[in-house]
């Protein structure tokens, strides 16, 4: 339990990923109806795939090489210079512009997201700098180690009954569940994820992400 008595939920995200974005909005819905507190952390699709770029489709490879580093670097820079409390707010501003408004991960969108949450626009300078890459990689490693290298973003971790964290990738869902539907999915996800020996549940994806 955290100091306020709520269950801490650690959430690792890459602001570029539309599926992680939808899942993050779902977790915020859950926060309204369950006694949880979300703690935000970065992970990186660029880091995850940097040793296997020759194995991914060309379009995805180009995205990883040209677009994936900037947003997550800026989030880490904001965290290092202004504290953990800005991470969730900046993620919301970035995701709203990237995904809901369809602006994409442009430098303009990043600058305007910083303005949206009252952070210095000068943080955008870190988009193409490796100044805080050590911290970025450390956060990424912390999250991905909990679930293994064969998944992506998001990663969620919660305290288990025995005190050890229960961690899982996803869920991948669209559109964002709201209200009691969000709570039911949360309860079911925790039940499945905390079952000893459970590894995977999946079906073929039939539609792209839907943003609301």
């Amino acid at each position: 339990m955290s100091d306020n008595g709520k269950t801490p939920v650690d959430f690792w995200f890459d602001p570029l990923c539309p599926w992680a974005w939808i899942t993050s909005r779902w977790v915020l819905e859950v926060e309204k109806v369950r006694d949880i507190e979300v703690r935000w952390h970065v992970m990186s699709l660029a880091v995850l795939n940097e040793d296997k770029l020759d194995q991914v489709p060309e379009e995805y490879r180009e995205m990883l090489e040209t677009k994936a580093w900037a947003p997550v670097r800026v989030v880490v820079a904001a965290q290092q210079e202004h504290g953990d409390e800005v991470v969730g707010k900046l993620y919301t501003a970035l995701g709203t512009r990237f995904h809901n408004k369809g602006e994409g991960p442009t430098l303009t969108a990043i600058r305007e997201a910083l303005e949206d949450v009252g952070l210095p626009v000068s943080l955008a300078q870190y988009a193409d700098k490796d100044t805080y890459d050590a911290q970025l990689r450390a956060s990424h490693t912390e999250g991905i180690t909990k679930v293994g290298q064969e998944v992506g973003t998001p990663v969620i971790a919660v305290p288990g009954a025995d005190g050890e964290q229960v961690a899982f990738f996803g869920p991948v869902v669209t559109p964002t569940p709201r209200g009691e539907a969000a709570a039911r999915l949360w309860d079911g996800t925790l039940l499945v994820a905390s079952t000893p020996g459970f590894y995977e549940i999946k079906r073929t994806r039939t539609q792209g992400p839907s943003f609301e």
Side-chain angles (χ1 to χ4, degrees):
M1 291 289 180
S2 59
D3 293 341
N4 59 13
K6 295 186 177 183
T7 300
V9 174
D10 291 295
F11 190 106
W12 280 264
F13 67 92
D14 185 320
L16 194 68
C17 179
W19 298 105
W21 171 246
I22 295 172
T23 304
S24 73
R25 301 310 94 180
W26 162 65
V27 169
L28 289 179
E29 285 290 309
V30 175
E31 198 174 41
K32 299 174 184 177
V33 292
R34 291 291 185 268
D35 218 17
I36 68 169
E37 181 177 54
V38 184
R39 303 188 301 198
W40 304 100
H41 313 270
V42 297
M43 62 184 298
S44 169
L45 292 172
V47 172
L48 181 65
N49 291 282
E50 63 183 347
D51 294 331
K52 48 188 175 184
L53 288 175
D54 59 339
Q55 302 172 31
V56 301
E58 183 177 351
E59 180 179 347
Y60 189 53
R61 181 168 64 249
E62 181 181 1
M63 182 272 293
L64 291 172
E65 291 176 331
T66 62
K67 299 178 181 179
W69 285 101
V72 73
R73 276 175 165 165
V74 172
V75 174
V76 173
Q79 180 185 35
Q80 293 301 309
E81 298 188 6
H82 297 274
D84 292 342
E85 64 274 10
V86 306
V87 176
K89 296 176 182 178
L90 182 54
Y91 180 31
T92 291
L94 289 168
T96 299
R97 289 189 173 277
F98 290 0
H99 307 300
N100 291 41
K101 294 184 178 180
E103 297 176 12
T106 65
L107 195 55
T108 297
I110 291 172
R111 290 191 181 108
E112 291 180 349
L114 289 166
E115 288 184 332
D116 290 341
V117 294
L119 286 168
V121 177
S122 59
L123 286 167
Q125 69 179 298
Y126 293 105
D128 60 355
K129 295 181 179 180
D130 62 2
T131 308
Y132 295 114
D133 278 10
Q135 291 86 343
L136 187 163
R137 290 177 181 276
S139 181
H140 173 87
T141 299
E142 182 185 9
I144 203 68
T145 299
K146 296 179 184 298
V147 292
Q149 298 292 326
E150 299 306 315
V151 300
T153 176
V155 169
I156 297 174
V158 298
D162 59 0
E164 296 293 324
Q165 278 192 320
V166 173
F168 50 91
F169 158 69
V172 175
V173 60
T174 190
T176 304
R178 306 289 181 181
E180 189 55 32
R184 289 196 302 269
L185 178 58
W186 176 254
D187 296 341
T189 299
L190 292 190
L191 176 62
V192 169
S194 62
T195 299
F198 176 80
Y199 292 102
E200 184 175 18
I201 184 170
K202 189 175 183 179
R203 64 181 175 186
T204 300
R205 189 184 305 165
T206 58
Q207 66 183 86
S210 174
F211 308 119
E212 298 176 350

